[in-house]
Amino acid sequence: MPEKQLQRISNTISFRIALPAFLTILLFVVAIFYVVLPQLEQSLLNRKQEMIMELTETTWSLIGDYHERELRGELSPDEAKRRAVLRIGKLRYGPEKKDYFWINDMTPRMIMHPYRSDLDGKDISDFRDPKGKRLFVEFVKTVEKQGAGYVDYMWQWKDDSDKIVPKISYVKGYEPWGWIVGTGMYIDDVKAEIAAIRNHLAAVSAGILVIISLLALYSIRQSLLADRERQRIFAERGELLKSLEQSTERFRNLIETTSDWIWEIDRDGRCTYSSPRVENLLGFEPVEILHASLTTFAPPDQAAEAGAAFAKLLAAGKPFTGFEITSLGKDGQVVVLECNAVPIFDERGQLAGYRGVARDITERKTAMEVLKKSRDDLHASLEETVASLASTAEKRDPYTAGHQQRVDRLACAIAREIGYPEDKIEGLHIAALLHDIGKITLPSEYLAKPTRLSSEEKALFKLHPEVGYEILKRIQFPWPVAEIVLQHHEHLDGTGYPQGLKDDEILLEAQILAVADVVEAMSSHRPYRPSLGIDIALDEIRAGQGIRYHAESVDACLNLILEKRYDLSYTMEEGGGGVG
């Protein structure tokens, strides 16, 4: 072929290879910067708005707590408001802990502003931002119209009164006191995050472009080399035929010297060829193997089972891998062989036999047995450790001794009833035994108090899932045990604690555990009350089915107790529990 024509063909091939690659990266960059990034920016802004709304709602609830104390007569109206202002004025959040909350009334008059104390107690109805917006009047209008909402305006940058930037705030009114509480986010923060993402995507895109370019160049080069190689093959075809004959001889030598045993059998399973390696594996000469079955050398107590399994494989006429045969060598040594084979067909397409390889896996099988024993020992150690941790928590609370074990047993029974996988039930079992481990930090007098807890004591008591999470999160369980413990008091409708999670935000194991925990707790005695009885407990989960509690778990629990007569009082010390 003329040199110029070959060059022209090579250039055409190069262009066809390179063009799709560069079009791909171009479409990638356009999609990232003109589709994905704008959506990401809007999504980020929406998340920030949701965040300030949630923070404001939380702060609003703090005001409600003080108002309740006022209504109960614990605090005077002035003292309740003073404490609320003092507490909210100290709240900070954000990366620099400079984001804050403020309070004004419906006049509007400033009640408290952490960074503008000069406005405290003053009429701010005519206070305007640099664009002339009467922002505090807008806050009042928003609350009067809809109770809560977002307002955008210009304001100083955190505690820097010389820097004025755009801001969006979420405000909510507290009607009993005529207050408005709010917090906000700075648009510049969102833009800075988007800029960082844009720069990162630009760097990634540039890297991808370089990689694709190199791959395209590599493909072009390989294509040119392939063209030259084809020319060389045509020129040396006669010589390669001779080399093929030599390669066949080398391949035969390789088969006969390889560390694996190569064999062929007919369709009845009788050996028609054996490589010399069989002598190293079993001690037999290749000629001694001919016309024998591969299962001939199985131990007498295994011969029938091995022969039947091998005959079934041969009858299928399909390739097989991983077939294990335990064989006895010539000197009586036990050898475990792993056989892989492909079928051989004659010119009429009929099965003629199999060609395969057998490998000595005796050491590997021994190692696997040792590994299995080690795993079993480790699992037993884990069970003992978990039991010790659970016992530690219950020894501080004699009134609820056995509670964690009964909850564990009921939760695992519910999980099996709904068809939950056994490997995940084992994780549920561990979490159930430890779900109240966080109570070890509670004062003993709280646990044994014969009367109901106060609001402050209840608030402290409700921290035990978070404490349990902190205790367990550094332990490398193969299941999300710490997260299950953290979420076991969450409800589907968001009324639970400590995070107020909803629906699919709650792990299924935690939803199952919540049902078991409620039923056991209500049907057991407590220091401040006698048992409410199993009927009251079942009425509670029926009333909350699909609202607070996982519907399928509630059905399973009711079926276990009412239909299958499940004994709720039975604990591990009495012979039950666990995942067995």
Side-chain angles (χ1 to χ4, degrees):
M1 184 178 290
E3 185 68 26
K4 289 185 178 179
Q5 185 178 358
L6 181 61
Q7 183 65 38
R8 186 166 58 254
I9 292 174
S10 298
N11 291 339
T12 301
I13 293 173
S14 301
F15 178 75
R16 289 177 179 176
I17 294 174
L19 183 60
F22 287 112
L23 286 177
T24 299
I25 189 60
L26 179 61
L27 290 174
F28 172 76
V29 172
V30 169
I32 288 293
F33 286 94
Y34 293 95
V35 179
V36 176
L37 199 58
Q39 293 179 356
L40 183 62
E41 183 174 359
Q42 185 58 47
S43 176
L44 183 60
L45 183 61
N46 291 340
R47 288 201 301 271
K48 292 281 188 178
Q49 287 182 325
E50 290 174 2
M51 179 194 72
I52 62 174
M53 179 186 70
E54 291 171 357
L55 289 171
T56 302
E57 295 283 354
T58 302
T59 306
W60 184 89
S61 68
L62 289 177
I63 298 175
D65 290 341
Y66 283 103
H67 184 218
E68 288 181 6
R69 295 180 65 184
E70 173 193 339
L71 296 177
R72 292 197 301 267
E74 296 179 14
L75 299 172
S76 67
D78 290 341
E79 179 63 15
K81 292 177 181 179
R82 186 189 70 81
R83 290 194 183 187
V85 168
L86 183 62
R87 183 172 180 184
I88 295 171
K90 293 180 179 180
L91 294 178
R92 298 290 185 274
Y93 64 95
E96 300 175 353
K97 299 299 181 184
K98 290 187 176 182
D99 292 298
Y100 60 90
F101 300 87
W102 82 89
I103 304 171
N104 59 268
D105 61 18
M106 302 293 288
T107 305
R109 178 176 58 85
M110 182 64 73
I111 303 298
M112 179 279 298
H113 194 292
Y115 295 147
R116 291 298 303 270
S117 57
D118 57 307
L119 298 178
D120 291 352
K122 294 183 179 180
D123 186 337
I124 47 176
S125 58
D126 201 40
F127 190 95
R128 303 171 186 266
D129 70 3
K131 291 186 177 181
K133 176 177 278 189
R134 299 168 64 195
L135 56 149
F136 292 103
V137 172
E138 292 296 324
F139 295 160
V140 172
K141 290 180 179 179
T142 300
V143 170
E144 288 178 340
K145 184 177 180 180
Q146 55 195 43
Y150 296 96
V151 179
D152 60 284
Y153 55 95
M154 303 290 291
W155 190 257
Q156 71 179 45
W157 175 262
K158 300 179 180 177
D159 57 350
D160 186 355
S161 59
D162 295 329
K163 183 179 179 182
I164 307 299
V165 295
K167 186 175 184 180
I168 296 178
S169 287
Y170 183 83
V171 294
K172 183 171 183 177
Y174 189 73
E175 186 177 354
W177 286 357
W179 282 8
I180 298 175
V181 63
T183 190
M185 66 175 182
Y186 295 95
I187 303 302
D188 288 354
D189 282 345
V190 179
K191 291 181 178 178
E193 291 187 35
I194 292 298
I197 294 172
R198 184 183 293 109
N199 294 337
H200 179 70
L201 289 177
V204 170
S205 300
I208 294 175
L209 179 60
V210 170
I211 292 171
I212 290 181
S213 300
L214 292 175
L215 290 175
L217 292 174
Y218 177 78
S219 299
I220 293 170
R221 181 175 180 275
Q222 292 300 111
S223 178
L224 295 175
L225 292 176
D227 287 338
R228 294 171 186 170
E229 185 66 17
R230 281 193 293 271
Q231 293 298 321
R232 187 180 67 81
I233 290 173
F234 281 123
E236 299 176 356
R237 181 170 50 186
E239 190 174 335
L240 286 176
L241 290 175
K242 183 178 179 180
S243 298
L244 180 60
E245 184 178 348
Q246 296 173 349
S247 296
T248 301
E249 183 64 25
R250 287 195 297 269
F251 181 66
R252 181 180 299 276
N253 294 335
L254 180 63
I255 288 178
E256 295 183 350
T257 57
T258 183
S259 60
D260 293 330
W261 173 26
I262 310 297
W263 47 262
E264 287 185 4
I265 56 176
D266 61 20
R267 60 185 179 184
D268 295 323
R270 295 186 297 267
C271 186
T272 57
Y273 168 78
S274 173
S275 70
R277 178 60 177 167
V278 68
E279 186 173 359
N280 300 89
L281 292 179
L282 300 176
F284 296 102
E285 295 282 346
V287 68
E288 296 179 85
I289 300 297
L290 295 179
H291 308 299
S293 171
L294 297 183
T295 59
T296 300
F297 310 103
D301 60 334
Q302 301 179 26
E305 182 179 354
F310 192 56
K312 185 176 181 180
L313 282 178
L314 300 183
K318 297 179 180 179
F320 62 83
T321 60
F323 179 69
E324 295 183 9
I325 303 175
T326 301
S327 303
L328 293 178
K330 197 170 188 177
D331 296 331
Q333 73 273 23
V334 177
V335 181
V336 182
L337 300 175
E338 180 183 74
C339 298
N340 304 319
V342 294
I344 305 171
F345 299 95
D346 59 23
E347 62 276 5
R348 294 175 298 175
Q350 300 296 317
L351 179 67
Y354 276 83
R355 180 179 295 117
V357 58
R359 178 169 298 169
D360 183 357
I361 61 168
T362 307
E363 292 184 3
R364 186 173 73 186
K365 292 288 288 185
T366 303
M368 287 177 65
E369 290 296 326
V370 172
L371 183 62
K372 181 178 182 299
K373 183 179 183 304
S374 175
R375 186 196 64 186
D376 293 342
D377 291 344
L378 184 62
H379 186 272
S381 177
L382 175 62
E383 286 281 349
E384 291 174 3
T385 301
V386 170
S388 297
L389 285 172
S391 176
T392 300
E394 290 195 336
K395 283 180 179 178
R396 298 192 69 251
D397 186 5
Y399 293 96
T400 58
H403 165 72
Q404 295 186 132
Q405 295 174 8
R406 289 190 292 273
V407 170
D408 162 41
R409 183 170 173 268
L410 178 56
C412 292
I414 291 172
R416 289 193 182 90
E417 188 76 6
I418 67 176
Y420 209 50
E422 281 297 325
D423 59 326
K424 293 189 176 182
I425 291 178
E426 189 168 3
L428 173 61
H429 159 58
I430 299 297
L433 284 177
L434 298 175
H435 74 278
D436 279 341
I437 188 69
K439 290 183 180 179
I440 64 175
T441 62
L442 292 174
S444 299
E445 57 269 22
Y446 285 15
L447 299 174
K449 188 175 181 180
T451 58
R452 292 194 176 274
L453 300 176
S454 67
S455 297
E456 291 79 1
E457 291 169 339
K458 286 181 180 178
L460 185 60
F461 189 86
K462 286 184 177 182
L463 293 176
H464 78 271
E466 296 175 271
V467 174
Y469 173 78
E470 292 298 324
I471 293 172
L472 299 173
K473 70 179 182 180
R474 292 181 177 85
I475 302 177
Q476 298 299 315
F477 291 108
W479 315 277
V481 172
E483 288 76 10
I484 298 171
V485 170
L486 178 64
Q487 297 177 10
H488 79 276
H489 278 298
E490 301 288 357
H491 293 158
L492 298 179
D493 58 3
T495 60
Y497 63 88
Q499 297 173 296
L501 301 180
K502 293 183 177 180
D503 300 321
D504 293 340
E505 295 175 341
I506 308 171
L507 293 173
L508 181 54
E509 293 95 331
Q511 297 180 37
I512 296 171
L513 182 56
V515 173
D517 192 27
V518 166
V519 172
E520 200 289 327
M522 293 184 69
S523 60
S524 299
H525 292 283
R526 288 294 181 268
Y528 56 86
R529 61 153 173 82
S531 167
L532 299 177
I534 189 63
D535 293 335
I536 299 298
L538 297 183
D539 287 342
E540 163 62 21
I541 61 173
R542 281 194 196 96
Q545 184 173 18
I547 302 171
R548 295 187 299 279
Y549 309 118
H550 181 233
E552 194 175 358
S553 296
V554 171
D555 286 335
C557 183
L558 294 173
N559 186 57
L560 283 168
I561 294 174
L562 298 179
E563 302 296 330
K564 298 185 177 181
R565 303 301 178 187
Y566 176 88
D567 185 1
L568 189 62
S569 65
Y570 195 55
T571 66
M572 288 199 306
E573 283 80 1
E574 298 163 342
V579 295

